[in-house]
Amino acid sequence: PPQLMRLGGVSTVPPQLALLYEEVLYTIHHRLGKPEQQHVGDSQELYSYVQKAFGMDAEEHSVIMQQVLELESPIYCLKATVKEAKGILGKDVSGLSDPYCLLGIEARSQEPAHPDHRKRMKAVVKDLIPEDQIHRTQVINQTLSPVWNETFILEFKDVETASFHLDMWDSDVVESMRHKLGELTDLHGLKRIFKDARKDKGQDDFLGNVVVRLKDLHCWNDQWYQLEPRTETYPERGHCHLQFLLTHKKRATTSSRTQPSYTVHRHLLQQLVSHEILQHQAGSTSWDGELSSHASTVLYLHATQKDLSDFHQDMAQWLAYSKLYQSLEFNSSCLLHQITSIEYRWVQERLRPEQVRAELAESFQSFLTYGVSLIRRFRIIFPLSVPRSTERLQSLLRVLVQMCKTKAFRELCTPSPDLPQMVSTALKSGTTEWFHMQKQHLKPMVKSIEENSKALSKLLLEVIEDLKQCQKIWNKLFTHCVPPALALIQVAEHVQEQLHKVDSSMSRPTAESLFDLYRKLQELHQMKDSLPSWDGPLALSNFHQWFEEALPLWLQKAYTTTLERAQRAIQMDQLKPYGYHKHSTSTVDLSTCYAQIMTTWQQLNWPDPEKAFMIMVNLLEDMCKISLMYCKLIKERAEALSLSEQNEGEAANKLCIVVNNIEQLRLLMLKLPSQLGWAQLEQRMRGIIDPQQIQNALHNQLDSTVACLDHEVRDVVQALATKAQGSFTPGVLNPTMLLGWRQGGAGHGEAGSKCKVQVSSCISPWQLEKGIARHIQEGLVGAFLTLETHLALCSATSRKLIQKYFSNRIQQQLDTSSEKYGAVTIKALYRPSEQKLRVEVLNATNLIPLDSNGSSDPFVQLTLEPRHEFPEVVARTTQCKKNELHPLFDEAFDFLIPSEKCRQEGACLLLTVFDYDVLGANDLEGEAFFPLCHLPGLDTEEDEADMGRVPQTRLPLTHPKPTDEILKLLESRKRDKEAQAFVKLRKQRAKQSKETE
């Protein structure tokens, strides 16, 4: 708001501001009505508030306040609307009435009547109020629920002493006796005729009255009042609906005498709202249009005193808010109510004065122009880094759309602008401006290809991020307008213009910066398919051709980087097992380097098939060279480390690590065709390159390298044997260091056999001393036999391993005779005709006491394993025997299972004995495995045996062990849910076993 200006020590206020301040002080000084609950009742608080809102100092406030006190008071008015009545008395023969009302204001207010004296206090309007001040409504014939909706302006001088009076009467006109008898309907009507005969002809009947003291009214009231009687004959006389508004006439302020009321109200609203916005924190974007109680009170008093309609108040708010929005930043959602209200009331209260229509039209056009200018700069005005930016933009768009849809806008702004076209044009120009601003901002200081490519990469990054934001957020608001595509076209043309100077003489840093630029253009090109259509060609169609000169340098960079990393990895390698593996760290580093080369191939994604094939050949040659170089350097590293080793066994173990490293590298090379997508590449080459050429350039080269790696393995094993020839003593070599070459995949059995053959062929011609040669032969070959068994397990499915696990446990059960944990006795019989297994759990003996009282509460759980063979067979449980170490169960259970399932590998009945625990988990007493393949009756066609002749089987209880090779293999298969669930259960059993021990 304008502030006071001091010139030569004299305080002055702008004239318009002074007149407006005079208006608001006059409004507060001559306020009427009781304060609303949400409004401020203390006038001094309001004076202090408006003084701050107008920026007045104490001296200026005193001067203008004195002027207000000297002004003539306004004429106080009560704007009373008699709306309707209900439940009134029926005074006519027909049982209805012809009601009308007399109303006016008595200068002297009556105090509320005591209930005992209510009759004496009731007064009639025509007896208390001068005749020229009495107002009369129309007569509504023959009704008990009249509707008038008539408004009257009643003047008064003192709100403290004045009271409003309304009397309701039944109009009585002279009618013939024949007409009255014609309307007669009941006995009450007949009594009414006799009563009318006794009174004067044409005398009206009293229906009730309402008396309201003005000092009890708010500025605006709308409610039902009870009609009071003069006698106790009919105490219930119905209700009357009245609406009151306390207003002014002939206000003495200059603004009220010279300007329209709504214009003055708009200026006042604008002044107070701008003060409210500036009271909020920086930016004021959090302000949502809600005014303080002080501002609301002042505006409410002014609107009611000037008798402004809701429509004119909404219009004043629209004019004020729409203008303020163009200078002060706040949420535009508060404009939505005003524009909606204007549309709602437009037809009922059409604006007549041309000045008002022109003012509203100008506000529409101004707000539209300003709103579109904000949309043009939406990236700057509504940045995503600022909270609620999208909500603010969405709110602005909603207001613009709503405004352009209104009848008022279409009528006043002719021809009506095309909002979608305006927004589209603004987005196009705004996107162009934004792109040129970014291009200028990122323009390099040095005009070199390297700096240009770096600047282009940054520019592309900005465009890509902008496109992502458009796809994710902005397009939903703008309904897929064209700015993203426009930026795409512009950046493509700009990049093509900047890259025309690229040639093969560029430096390595320049090539690296160009690769980053290529990747971003690639991402940009991939995004184009998800963007809406646009006008004009796209210059990105063959963008890869711009970088053909840099391609050899990119491939050379990938080769040298991988070579250097591999050399450093070998230099740092101590040839010790890496974690649980049998190979060392250099192999891990080399696999990471190869993965980076594969990533480079995927990132290039070269569109030209023939060129892509040449890139693949180049990458494969580089990886093969690095593999052979690795073999040479790792052997040299092992030799260098062996020179400092005093323990010959450790030196031999390092050679074992070398063998495993080379094997890991061989596996890595064999995976290249699938990881590099050779099948897809060959499909692209169909009809372009001869298949034999592909075979020679790719497959034969890879096979040759793998054969060299096999030869390297044989050489290292031979070196191991040669080294051991003169100084090897039994027991120092750890042949298990050779284990784990091929863990984790299918086909391992074949590979293990191949490795054994290779090593055996190296060992057989050795001429070693008797005993030493046999030890090396037996040690290494034994290690490979163990390896082959292990690889067979690795190649098995998870379900096969689970079956193998239970087979091992069954064998352990058969080999166990110790009853350290007790035993359980059962009888089992299979009936082929019913495909039913019947199991009787007889007893358990010698259980371990697991409770604090030296006893246990045992029960037995029966399950058929493996679960994948019997998925629908639920576990069964015996009753719990309290405080028993030798429980007698004697319970029978039936299981429906096919006979072929019983013959599956590892199929068994698992009996788990638990100690019942009320509070925690049940403790494990032990478990026993009964093989189903040994069931009596399984191998017969008829039911030849019964349970009476079936012998008892006593099964010693065992505890599971956590160190099991099969469980470790299953645990390594992280993605197999069935394997993980099985391992979790067996680990839980092992943990319980460990706790009991």
Side-chain angles (χ1 to χ4, degrees):
Q3 303 297 317
L4 296 178
M5 299 175 291
R6 294 192 175 274
L7 303 175
V10 179
S11 175
T12 61
V13 181
Q16 292 299 326
L17 188 65
L19 294 178
L20 191 60
Y21 194 63
E22 177 190 59
E23 177 78 13
V24 71
L25 293 183
Y26 190 87
T27 298
I28 298 172
H29 180 62
H30 294 288
R31 67 182 300 176
L32 293 172
K34 290 170 54 179
E36 299 285 351
Q37 184 177 2
Q38 70 274 19
H39 288 164
V40 178
D42 189 353
S43 296
Q44 291 302 322
E45 283 190 38
L46 298 180
Y47 287 136
S48 299
Y49 171 76
V50 296
Q51 183 179 346
K52 293 178 183 177
F54 280 75
M56 296 289 181
D57 62 13
E59 181 181 354
E60 293 295 341
H61 173 76
S62 298
V63 171
I64 300 178
M65 188 68 204
Q66 186 60 37
Q67 295 174 0
V68 169
L69 294 176
E70 295 173 359
L71 290 175
E72 183 180 356
S73 298
I75 298 175
Y76 299 140
C77 298
L78 176 66
K79 186 176 182 180
T81 300
V82 183
K83 301 177 78 67
E84 58 182 320
K86 62 183 179 180
I88 66 174
L89 295 179
K91 292 291 187 176
D92 293 342
V93 176
S94 61
L96 303 174
S97 292
D98 303 319
Y100 69 94
C101 298
L102 299 177
L103 59 149
I105 290 182
E106 182 189 10
R108 181 177 59 83
S109 176
Q110 296 183 0
E111 293 300 321
H114 189 276
D116 296 337
H117 304 285
R118 184 167 53 179
K119 175 180 177 181
R120 201 174 46 212
M121 296 299 295
K122 297 303 176 181
V124 180
V125 170
K126 55 187 176 182
D127 295 335
L128 296 175
I129 302 173
E131 187 175 353
D132 60 344
Q133 297 179 18
I134 296 176
H135 300 267
R136 178 187 176 113
T137 67
Q138 293 181 354
V139 177
I140 307 298
N141 294 318
Q142 295 299 292
T143 180
L144 298 181
S145 301
V147 177
W148 288 283
N149 281 326
E150 296 185 45
T151 300
F152 305 92
I153 305 297
L154 311 178
E155 298 180 4
F156 62 93
K157 293 183 178 179
D158 187 0
V159 72
E160 292 294 327
T161 61
S163 60
F164 169 82
H165 289 259
L166 178 140
D167 291 346
M168 188 177 299
W169 297 87
D170 171 42
S171 178
D172 190 20
V173 295
V174 179
E175 295 179 348
S176 65
M177 183 61 66
R178 179 179 296 179
H179 184 270
K180 290 183 179 182
L181 290 174
E183 294 180 352
L184 183 63
T185 59
D186 54 15
L187 184 60
H188 177 75
L190 184 59
K191 291 180 180 180
R192 185 66 192 171
I193 292 176
F194 294 148
K195 185 177 179 181
D196 288 346
R198 293 196 300 268
K199 72 174 184 178
D200 297 336
K201 293 185 177 181
Q203 182 179 354
D204 296 341
D205 292 319
F206 180 78
L207 296 177
N209 71 342
V210 175
V211 179
V212 180
R213 294 185 305 172
L214 298 192
K215 66 179 182 180
D216 294 333
L217 293 176
H218 296 285
C219 288
W220 184 85
N221 288 262
D222 189 315
Q223 69 181 76
W224 288 85
Y225 293 89
Q226 184 175 353
L227 291 169
E228 299 291 344
R230 286 189 298 179
T231 67
E232 299 298 331
T233 306
Y234 299 104
E236 298 296 331
R237 293 175 173 264
H239 295 78
C240 184
H241 187 187
L242 301 175
Q243 187 180 89
F244 298 117
L245 180 66
L246 294 171
T247 65
H248 289 174
K249 284 172 62 176
K250 297 184 179 180
R251 291 166 63 93
T253 60
T254 304
S255 297
S256 294
R257 289 186 285 105
T258 59
Q259 296 181 13
S261 296
Y262 92 94
T263 303
V264 179
H265 188 74
R266 174 169 61 86
H267 292 160
L268 176 59
L269 174 68
Q270 191 167 315
Q271 183 69 29
L272 297 183
V273 169
S274 53
H275 171 71
E276 292 282 313
I277 295 174
L278 293 176
Q279 292 305 302
H280 283 68
Q281 296 179 352
S284 303
T285 55
S286 61
W287 189 74
D288 58 359
E290 185 175 354
L291 297 173
S292 67
S293 59
H294 294 79
S296 299
T297 303
V298 172
L299 292 170
Y300 177 75
L301 291 176
H302 189 261
T304 54
Q305 291 175 14
K306 309 237 358 160
D307 193 15
L308 281 176
S309 66
D310 292 339
F311 176 73
H312 283 83
Q313 290 184 57
D314 290 334
M315 190 181 68
Q317 289 179 9
W318 165 260
L319 294 174
Y321 278 55
S322 63
K323 184 174 181 180
L324 284 172
Y325 186 78
Q326 301 176 40
S327 57
L328 297 175
E329 188 176 4
F330 59 90
N331 197 326
S332 58
S333 60
C334 58
L335 292 166
L336 195 59
H337 170 74
Q338 281 76 42
I339 196 63
T340 305
S341 179
I342 289 175
E343 170 67 5
Y344 178 73
R345 306 177 192 274
W346 180 252
V347 177
Q348 290 81 5
E349 301 190 47
R350 188 72 58 85
L351 297 180
R352 297 302 180 190
E354 289 302 321
Q355 180 182 358
V356 176
R357 295 169 62 86
E359 200 170 21
L360 187 59
E362 192 277 332
S363 74
F364 285 155
Q365 193 62 52
S366 176
F367 184 79
L368 177 62
T369 303
Y370 181 73
V372 171
S373 71
L374 294 184
I375 293 173
R376 181 172 56 85
R377 297 175 293 132
F378 75 93
R379 296 176 176 87
I380 301 172
I381 304 299
F382 306 101
L384 293 179
S385 57
V386 176
R388 301 181 63 184
S389 286
T390 54
E391 295 178 26
R392 290 166 47 226
L393 177 56
Q394 189 173 15
S395 175
L396 172 61
L397 290 171
R398 189 181 293 115
V399 172
L400 288 173
V401 170
Q402 190 67 24
M403 181 185 74
C404 294
K405 287 168 57 178
T406 61
K407 294 183 178 66
F409 181 85
R410 294 196 299 268
E411 183 177 322
L412 298 178
C413 301
T414 53
S416 298
D418 186 353
L419 181 61
Q421 183 60 41
M422 292 179 68
V423 171
S424 179
T425 303
L427 290 174
K428 285 182 179 180
S429 59
T431 300
T432 302
E433 292 173 6
W434 172 83
F435 177 76
H436 287 297
M437 182 178 67
Q438 294 294 327
K439 184 172 67 174
Q440 190 65 29
H441 176 68
L442 298 172
K443 188 176 182 180
M445 300 295 293
V446 181
K447 300 293 184 178
S448 65
I449 297 179
E450 180 180 352
E451 294 300 323
N452 270 343
S453 60
K454 290 181 179 179
L456 288 174
S457 294
K458 294 178 181 178
L459 179 61
L460 282 173
L461 182 61
E462 293 292 334
V463 173
I464 290 171
E465 289 301 316
D466 184 70
L467 288 173
K468 289 179 179 179
Q469 291 176 2
C470 287
Q471 287 179 312
K472 184 178 180 181
I473 299 172
W474 303 126
N475 280 355
K476 297 177 183 178
L477 300 180
F478 298 130
T479 60
H480 296 282
C481 291
V482 294
L486 188 64
L488 191 64
I489 297 170
Q490 292 172 334
V491 74
E493 294 173 349
H494 181 63
V495 171
Q496 186 178 26
E497 178 184 346
Q498 294 295 318
L499 290 181
H500 73 281
K501 300 178 182 179
V502 175
D503 54 33
S504 57
S505 62
M506 73 187 77
S507 63
R508 178 174 292 181
T510 300
E512 293 176 4
S513 62
L514 286 176
F515 185 74
D516 185 45
L517 180 61
Y518 172 81
R519 289 283 298 128
K520 287 186 173 57
L521 279 172
Q522 195 176 50
E523 182 179 359
L524 198 63
H525 186 262
Q526 292 171 353
M527 294 179 69
K528 71 178 180 63
D529 296 331
S530 60
L531 297 175
S533 58
W534 58 83
D535 299 327
L538 181 62
L540 284 177
S541 301
N542 296 308
F543 71 93
H544 64 281
Q545 297 176 356
W546 309 341
F547 300 90
E548 286 189 351
E549 298 293 339
L551 185 57
L553 292 177
W554 295 346
L555 299 179
Q556 182 63 30
K557 170 65 176 178
Y559 170 72
T560 55
T561 301
T562 304
L563 182 63
E564 291 169 0
R565 289 180 179 176
Q567 292 172 342
R568 286 197 302 270
I570 294 171
Q571 292 172 3
M572 300 296 293
D573 198 347
Q574 297 300 315
L575 291 179
K576 294 181 179 179
Y578 174 69
Y580 295 103
H581 305 284
K582 300 300 181 183
H583 52 80
S584 59
T585 57
S586 62
T587 307
V588 179
D589 294 337
L590 187 60
S591 64
T592 304
C593 295
Y594 278 9
Q596 185 59 44
I597 292 180
M598 298 171 196
T599 302
T600 301
W601 162 253
Q602 294 170 355
Q603 289 175 341
L604 281 173
N605 193 23
W606 202 263
D608 180 17
E610 192 170 359
K611 193 70 174 180
F613 176 73
M614 299 307 298
I615 293 172
M616 176 58 70
V617 173
N618 196 323
L619 291 176
L620 180 62
E621 290 176 353
D622 292 343
M623 298 170 80
C624 290
K625 285 190 292 185
I626 293 174
S627 298
L628 298 178
M629 179 276 302
Y630 175 84
C631 294
K632 175 176 177 296
L633 294 182
I634 199 67
K635 289 192 295 183
E636 294 176 356
R637 178 64 176 168
E639 186 66 26
L641 292 175
S642 298
L643 293 177
S644 60
E645 283 289 350
Q646 300 297 326
N647 188 331
E648 290 296 331
E650 288 297 325
N653 286 337
K654 293 190 184 303
L655 287 179
C656 291
I657 292 291
V658 170
V659 173
N660 286 327
N661 283 2
I662 298 176
E663 173 64 11
Q664 283 294 114
L665 178 58
R666 193 177 77 88
L667 289 175
L668 187 64
M669 297 298 291
L670 289 174
K671 294 177 182 177
L672 289 181
S674 61
Q675 292 178 339
L676 292 174
W678 282 10
Q680 294 86 345
L681 182 62
E682 291 176 12
Q683 185 69 23
R684 292 175 61 190
M685 295 298 104
R686 183 173 298 177
I688 300 176
I689 296 179
D690 184 65
Q692 187 59 42
Q693 185 179 354
I694 297 176
Q695 180 69 28
N696 295 336
L698 296 181
H699 295 281
N700 291 351
Q701 183 178 193
L702 179 61
D703 293 342
S704 176
T705 302
V706 171
C708 291
L709 295 178
D710 290 338
H711 180 73
E712 292 290 345
V713 170
R714 291 195 297 270
D715 286 349
V716 175
V717 173
Q718 186 173 2
L720 174 64
T722 303
K723 186 175 184 63
Q725 184 175 4
S727 58
F728 186 79
T729 55
V732 297
L733 176 63
N734 182 11
T736 59
M737 296 297 293
L738 290 170
L739 292 177
W741 293 0
R742 307 298 303 277
Q743 290 182 8
H748 293 164
E750 179 185 353
S753 301
K754 184 176 181 180
C755 293
K756 188 183 76 172
V757 171
Q758 292 170 350
V759 177
S760 299
S761 63
C762 295
I763 293 175
S764 58
W766 292 349
Q767 301 297 325
L768 301 177
E769 295 181 6
K770 185 179 180 181
I772 298 178
R774 185 174 65 253
H775 182 83
I776 294 178
Q777 180 78 19
E778 292 176 355
L780 291 180
V781 173
F784 280 110
L785 289 175
T786 304
L787 173 64
E788 192 165 17
T789 302
H790 180 73
L791 294 177
L793 290 176
C794 291
S795 62
T797 64
S798 296
R799 290 190 170 183
K800 192 69 175 176
L801 289 177
I802 294 174
Q803 291 176 326
K804 184 66 176 176
Y805 173 84
F806 283 107
S807 295
N808 293 344
R809 294 307 305 271
I810 291 171
Q811 188 59 47
Q812 292 173 11
Q813 181 76 55
L814 296 175
D815 296 340
T816 300
S817 59
S818 171
E819 295 187 1
K820 175 181 177 182
Y821 304 107
V824 62
T825 303
I826 66 169
K827 294 173 69 175
L829 173 66
Y830 187 79
R831 300 184 185 277
S833 62
E834 300 176 5
Q835 291 193 336
K836 180 187 295 184
L837 166 64
R838 184 172 182 82
V839 180
E840 291 184 2
V841 182
L842 302 179
N843 58 58
T845 58
N846 301 323
L847 298 180
I848 299 173
L850 297 179
D851 293 342
S852 58
N853 60 4
S855 184
S856 291
D857 303 324
F859 67 92
V860 182
Q861 182 186 77
L862 295 83
T863 56
L864 295 181
E865 301 289 350
R867 294 304 302 159
H868 63 264
E869 294 290 349
F870 307 97
E872 298 181 357
V873 181
V874 298
R876 312 291 290 277
T877 305
T878 68
Q879 295 182 357
C880 179
K881 302 296 182 179
K882 298 291 184 179
N883 298 321
E884 285 284 353
L885 296 179
H886 305 278
L888 179 64
F889 297 105
D890 199 15
E891 296 183 43
F893 303 93
D894 291 330
F895 299 92
L896 291 175
I897 53 174
S899 59
E900 59 271 14
K901 291 290 185 180
C902 298
R903 297 185 178 89
Q904 294 291 335
E905 180 184 5
C908 64
L909 170 67
L910 172 58
L911 299 106
T912 310
V913 183
F914 290 101
D915 170 41
Y916 179 73
D917 195 334
V918 177
L919 298 179
N922 298 324
D923 298 321
L924 178 69
E925 290 280 2
E927 57 186 10
F929 298 83
F930 182 80
L932 298 183
C933 62
H934 295 165
L935 280 172
L938 180 64
D939 296 327
T940 62
E941 296 181 358
E942 301 294 335
D943 300 338
E944 298 178 354
D946 57 32
M947 291 300 292
R949 293 198 293 265
V950 172
Q952 298 182 0
T953 302
R954 184 178 179 86
L955 300 170
L957 296 179
T958 63
H959 277 205
K961 301 299 181 183
T963 55
D964 188 285
E965 182 181 9
I966 293 178
L967 290 180
K968 289 182 179 180
L969 285 173
L970 289 170
E971 186 177 13
S972 66
R973 301 180 179 185
K974 300 297 184 183
R975 297 183 179 179
D976 191 330
K977 294 183 179 180
E978 187 174 11
Q980 295 302 309
F982 181 77
V983 171
K984 181 179 179 181
L985 178 61
R986 299 316 301 169
K987 276 190 171 184
Q988 182 181 0
R989 293 284 186 269
K991 183 179 179 182
Q992 292 171 326
S993 170
K994 183 177 180 181
E995 292 174 351
T996 58
E997 291 180 346

